[in-house]
């Protein structure tokens, strides 16, 4: 009997075998959300506006998809192992 840990390990090896994290996925689109939490400083004399926000980005990397035959719902990956958008 193959354990789910064995399946997950094999899946990670399979997905990352030819994966180049420096290359964006083909036709990649990134959805960005910005949520304003609060203004922390507003000064018309200094011409300064400071605010506290959260920044969230979503994208799909089809190179990291797999089917149900693997018997794995999710896998842990390090951010250094996968492509992520440049942050301005």
């Amino acid at each position: 009997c193959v354990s789910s840990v064995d399946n997950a390990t094999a899946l990670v090896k399979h997905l990352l075998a030819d994966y180049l994290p420096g290359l964006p996925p083909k036709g990649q689109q990134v959805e960005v959300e910005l949520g304003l939490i609060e203004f922390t400083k507003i000064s018309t004399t200094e011409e300064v506006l400071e605010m506290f926000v959260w920044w969230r980005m979503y994208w799909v990397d089809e190179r990291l998809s797999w089917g149900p035959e693997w018997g794995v719902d999710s896998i842990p990956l390090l951010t250094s192992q996968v492509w992520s958008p440049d942050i301005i």
Side-chain angles (χ1 to χ4, degrees):
C1 179
V2 177
S3 74
S4 61
V5 172
D6 292 338
N7 284 354
T9 301
L11 176 58
V12 169
K13 287 180 182 179
H14 171 74
L15 292 174
L16 299 181
D18 296 320
Y19 187 88
L20 299 172
L23 294 176
K26 186 176 183 180
Q28 183 56 54
Q29 292 185 347
V30 178
E31 180 181 330
V32 177
E33 292 181 2
L34 183 69
L36 175 62
I37 307 299
E38 71 177 298
F39 290 105
T40 56
K41 182 177 182 180
I42 300 173
S43 172
T44 55
T45 56
E46 297 176 54
E47 298 180 349
V48 171
L49 172 62
E50 294 179 4
M51 59 188 114
F52 181 63
V53 300
W54 57 257
W55 173 280
R56 190 176 295 172
M57 297 185 295
Y58 301 94
W59 67 92
V60 174
D61 190 337
E62 293 293 335
R63 301 172 296 173
L64 298 174
S65 63
W66 64 90
E69 67 276 5
W70 286 94
V72 177
D73 293 328
S74 64
I75 54 172
L77 294 173
L78 301 173
T79 55
S80 62
Q81 292 176 294
V82 298
W83 177 84
S84 63
D86 291 334
I87 298 176
I88 300 171

